[in-house]
Amino acid sequence: MAQSAHARPDADSSNGEPASSYAWNQPDTETIGLFGGRRDDFSSRYHLTRRGKVKRLAQISRIVNQFDALKGLTPVKMRLMFEALGPTFVKVGQILSMRSEILPQSFCDELAKLRADADPMPYATVLDVLAEEYGRPADEVFVHIDPKPLGSASLAQVHRATLKTGEDVAVKVQRPGVRETMAQDVSIMRSIAKVATKVIRTSQIVDLKGVVEELWDTFESETDFLVEARNLAEFKRFAARFKYMDCPKPYPDLCTEHVVVMEYVDGISLSHPGRLVADGYDLKEIGTKLVDNYATQILDDGFFHADPHPGNIIIRGGQIVLIDLGMTGRLDAKTRSVMKDMIFAVAKQDSPALADGLLRFAGTEANPADYPSLLADLDAIVKEYGTVDLADLDIAAFLTALTSLAQRHGIEVPSTVTTVGRALVTLEGLLDEFIPDVNMIEIISQHIATSKTADQMVKDELKSLGLEGHEALHSALDAMSELRVAARMLTRGQLRTNIELVGSEEPFQMLSDMVNRLAMALIVVGLFVGSSIVYYAGMKPIIFGIPIVGFMGYVVAFALGCWIVLDIYLKGRKTKKR
């Protein structure tokens, strides 16, 4: 028996182009004034008020107190609290689930279970949203809309419908007001993170600010359903190269910022392996093709489905159909190349190569303060992950460990690498539960090893040598230019040299002490000579038969002489004790 499937309504956003790059139905919300520059106020854009923020903050406080969070949270209680707090905090939890440098691994594992299911919104509300988006009643666009939703989440709801032209489609409708609610929560979290940064200056607080900003980037794209429509069209073109791969067809003319209309997929979900076997499918073949195609998406094309959980994978007519393209990831050519090189560097237990790959992530400005410490930490990762066969390498755990290490050393790893790690964890969990005979890491490793033909490898190597030669040539020219400037300054007497002698502090200190003592001795001698001249001159007034000026000179000279002798004695004893 077949199971009906559809795009999940709780889709995350694409990590690719920002929502602002899509011109369809974009509201004109920004203005430029002759005086005062650009005006783009966050609060006015999303209709946020101080009263509304205070009300929402009170609601958050009540929920936090309900779970007694101030006395401590277990992983399960934290997950339940995030679900009670609403869609924004569900997204925060999903992001934190891949940040083991912020939370213990047990919390990350529990937060990975977060789903954004919610009570269905009324059917009348769905019709109102459609009418507002299309500027006409929904029955002028659809022959029929099933009042019972296929799925309902905190962000949107999906209904099965039939177009006037007869096509069977799934309609994803955004909940009214969800954008303002999420914007309000993000604004509150920004304020909290800003205050926390001033009060507690720790790396974890900085990470928290990063999580909030990552959430905001996700939110901006996620609430623009035109992004998902564009992702569907792009993945449809990608899947055309593979007979066994497909995704729902979007209907761009009917897609708006708050509505997505796509082909309705009728098939068997991968979460029902028994039905697939009964229908004559080979689970191992499905798993192998799925993982190999996933490696193609990530490492070859750089555009991939970022949420491959069982409900998003449908088997229909011998094809693997990936639905819910709201959450995608993108990797540029440089990042894909670095990831491949780093995987093999771990397999070869080559810490310097691993360090080079990590620094390539950060670009030309990468300059770790303590490079030996970086290599030592990388050695620990190599020992943990490099002692196993490449087929047994846990790439997801490896990327998580590497991201944490990079953060400790101030190296910025692209956020898309975190997205890859999160997707790999999801895919690996899917295989372990439903298709345990398939080794994901082995298939990805084989894909990396065999993805290039001999001609391609030669071309890539020549290209790499050409780029390295180009960089070396420019470095040499830069060095010659610097030498020319130095020579010019030398001939003009303008050249200055800063020299730091390692271990020279103690000799220089001793020399400084000697100079100081010599100067004090000269002062003492000068005082004695000057006081003696005053004595023989017989200047008045006189005290103890000595002119008072001369007497004061003798006293000061005597005191300084005693101080010099005492200083020499004490420092001499200190030197002997060493």
Side-chain angles (χ1 to χ4, degrees):
M1 185 178 70
Q3 173 185 334
S4 296
H6 54 84
R8 251 194 335 118
D10 57 326
D12 284 346
S13 68
S14 166
N15 286 319
E17 299 178 75
S20 59
S21 65
Y22 301 98
W24 307 342
N25 299 332
Q26 290 295 319
D28 188 9
T29 58
E30 297 185 18
T31 61
I32 298 178
L34 293 177
F35 305 98
R38 174 177 171 174
R39 185 181 177 186
D40 182 18
D41 184 72
F42 180 86
S43 297
S44 61
R45 238 192 315 162
Y46 294 102
H47 312 293
L48 305 183
T49 63
R50 186 182 300 274
R51 182 178 179 182
K53 288 177 67 174
V54 171
K55 184 178 179 181
R56 174 58 176 160
L57 191 57
Q59 183 184 12
I60 293 172
S61 299
R62 284 196 301 270
I63 295 174
V64 170
N65 289 332
Q66 178 185 340
F67 284 88
D68 207 10
L70 296 179
K71 293 184 179 179
L73 287 172
T74 63
V76 174
K77 283 180 67 177
M78 176 176 281
R79 176 177 61 81
L80 294 175
M81 185 182 72
F82 278 2
E83 289 175 348
L85 286 169
T88 310
F89 289 88
V90 168
K91 298 300 177 187
V92 171
Q94 290 172 344
I95 293 173
L96 286 174
S97 68
M98 283 303 298
R99 296 296 187 89
S100 58
E101 75 273 16
I102 299 179
L103 292 177
Q105 191 61 45
S106 59
F107 283 81
C108 294
D109 294 340
E110 186 64 30
L111 292 178
K113 302 175 184 177
L114 281 168
R115 290 290 172 226
D117 298 329
D119 295 332
M121 62 178 167
Y123 180 61
T125 304
V126 174
L127 296 179
D128 290 342
V129 172
L130 291 174
E132 183 178 351
E133 289 298 305
Y134 294 135
R136 49 182 168 158
D139 57 11
E140 293 185 15
V141 181
F142 305 97
V143 174
H144 173 72
I145 301 176
D146 190 349
K148 184 179 179 180
L150 295 170
S152 182
S154 54
L155 177 61
Q157 190 162 292
V158 176
H159 289 259
R160 187 175 183 177
T162 305
L163 295 177
K164 288 285 189 179
T165 52
E167 288 97 333
D168 199 9
V169 297
V171 183
K172 182 175 178 180
V173 181
Q174 188 175 128
R175 290 177 179 267
V178 70
R179 170 173 289 195
E180 286 72 21
T181 300
M182 295 184 74
Q184 194 171 64
D185 288 345
V186 169
S187 178
I188 291 172
M189 287 187 288
R190 275 179 168 172
S191 300
I192 293 173
K194 185 177 180 180
V195 172
T197 304
K198 293 179 179 179
V199 176
I200 309 173
R201 297 186 177 277
T202 67
S203 60
Q204 288 191 351
I205 295 298
V206 174
D207 287 339
L208 180 59
K209 290 178 65 179
V211 169
V212 173
E213 294 308 317
E214 184 179 339
L215 173 71
W216 169 241
D217 293 338
T218 300
F219 158 70
E220 276 199 304
S221 295
E222 182 180 358
T223 52
D224 183 357
F225 283 177
L226 292 174
V227 175
E228 182 173 352
R230 184 65 63 89
N231 290 340
L232 284 166
E234 184 174 351
F235 197 86
K236 189 79 173 176
R237 292 191 294 270
F238 163 80
R241 295 164 17 205
F242 307 93
K243 292 182 178 180
Y244 61 87
M245 184 64 61
D246 201 2
C247 78
K249 179 183 74 172
Y251 291 80
D253 294 340
L254 298 176
C255 294
T256 72
E257 193 175 356
H258 303 103
V259 176
V260 179
V261 179
M262 70 200 86
E263 173 192 4
Y264 178 80
V265 179
D266 190 15
I268 306 174
S269 170
L270 197 59
S271 59
H272 298 280
R275 294 181 181 178
L276 290 171
V277 173
D279 227 34
Y281 288 103
D282 182 348
L283 293 180
K284 188 170 184 179
E285 181 185 2
I286 292 173
T288 302
K289 288 182 176 179
L290 174 63
V291 174
D292 186 68
N293 188 269
Y294 206 79
T296 301
Q297 296 174 38
I298 294 176
L299 299 174
D300 297 341
D301 281 59
F303 173 67
F304 61 95
H305 191 298
D307 191 19
H309 74 81
N312 284 342
I313 303 172
I314 308 300
I315 310 302
R316 178 192 64 178
Q319 286 186 313
I320 302 172
V321 183
L322 298 184
I323 63 174
D324 187 6
L325 267 293
M327 185 175 181
T328 60
R330 296 178 188 272
L331 298 172
D332 57 28
K334 174 187 174 183
T335 303
R336 299 198 301 271
S337 174
V338 171
M339 286 183 65
K340 293 178 184 179
D341 292 344
M342 291 175 72
I343 290 172
F344 281 115
V346 173
K348 293 186 294 184
Q349 302 188 39
D350 188 348
S351 295
L354 190 60
D356 290 342
L358 193 60
L359 294 176
R360 282 171 62 193
F361 270 142
T364 56
E365 296 181 359
N367 185 23
D370 192 350
Y371 190 78
S373 176
L374 173 64
L375 285 179
D377 288 346
L378 287 172
D379 281 337
I381 289 183
V382 166
K383 288 179 182 178
E384 182 175 358
Y385 296 99
T387 54
V388 299
D389 294 335
L390 189 58
D392 298 324
L393 175 63
D394 188 341
I395 296 180
F398 161 64
L399 289 175
T400 301
L402 206 59
T403 303
S404 301
L405 180 147
Q407 188 217 8
R408 291 198 304 272
H409 288 274
I411 299 173
E412 184 177 356
V413 176
S415 60
T416 48
V417 176
T418 302
T419 305
V420 171
R422 182 166 54 222
L424 288 175
V425 168
T426 304
L427 184 61
E428 193 171 30
L430 177 152
L431 295 173
D432 290 342
E433 184 175 357
F434 300 107
I435 316 177
D437 294 336
V438 175
N439 188 320
M440 181 187 77
I441 308 303
E442 183 177 0
I443 295 172
I444 293 178
S445 302
Q446 290 175 355
H447 180 92
I448 295 174
T450 61
S451 60
K452 295 182 180 180
T453 63
D455 291 341
Q456 288 175 326
M457 291 180 68
V458 171
K459 289 179 182 178
D460 288 348
E461 190 65 26
L462 289 175
K463 183 179 179 180
S464 177
L465 288 173
L467 290 173
E468 291 176 0
H470 180 267
E471 292 179 0
L473 176 61
H474 277 274
S475 296
L477 292 174
D478 289 342
M480 292 176 64
S481 176
E482 294 291 339
L483 286 173
R484 183 177 59 188
V485 172
R488 185 180 303 162
M489 293 176 66
L490 180 62
T491 56
R492 295 178 178 179
Q494 298 173 332
L495 187 64
R496 296 180 180 180
T497 304
N498 293 325
I499 300 177
E500 180 180 354
L501 301 178
V502 179
S504 61
E505 292 82 0
E506 187 173 349
F508 278 119
Q509 184 62 43
M510 293 177 63
L511 180 61
S512 176
D513 290 342
M514 292 173 60
V515 172
N516 290 339
R517 290 170 186 168
L518 180 60
M520 293 298 294
L522 290 175
I523 292 174
V524 170
V525 171
L527 286 171
F528 270 115
V529 172
S531 297
S532 298
I533 293 174
V534 170
Y535 172 73
Y536 285 108
M539 294 177 60
K540 296 181 180 180
I542 297 175
I543 183 174
F544 302 119
I546 304 173
I548 190 169
V549 175
F551 179 79
M552 291 175 62
Y554 284 131
V555 171
V556 172
F558 178 78
L560 289 177
C562 292
W563 179 84
I564 292 173
V565 173
L566 184 62
D567 182 65
I568 293 173
Y569 174 74
L570 292 177
K571 289 188 175 179
R573 288 191 59 183
K574 187 176 180 181
T575 304
K576 290 180 180 179
K577 287 182 179 180
R578 291 181 186 176

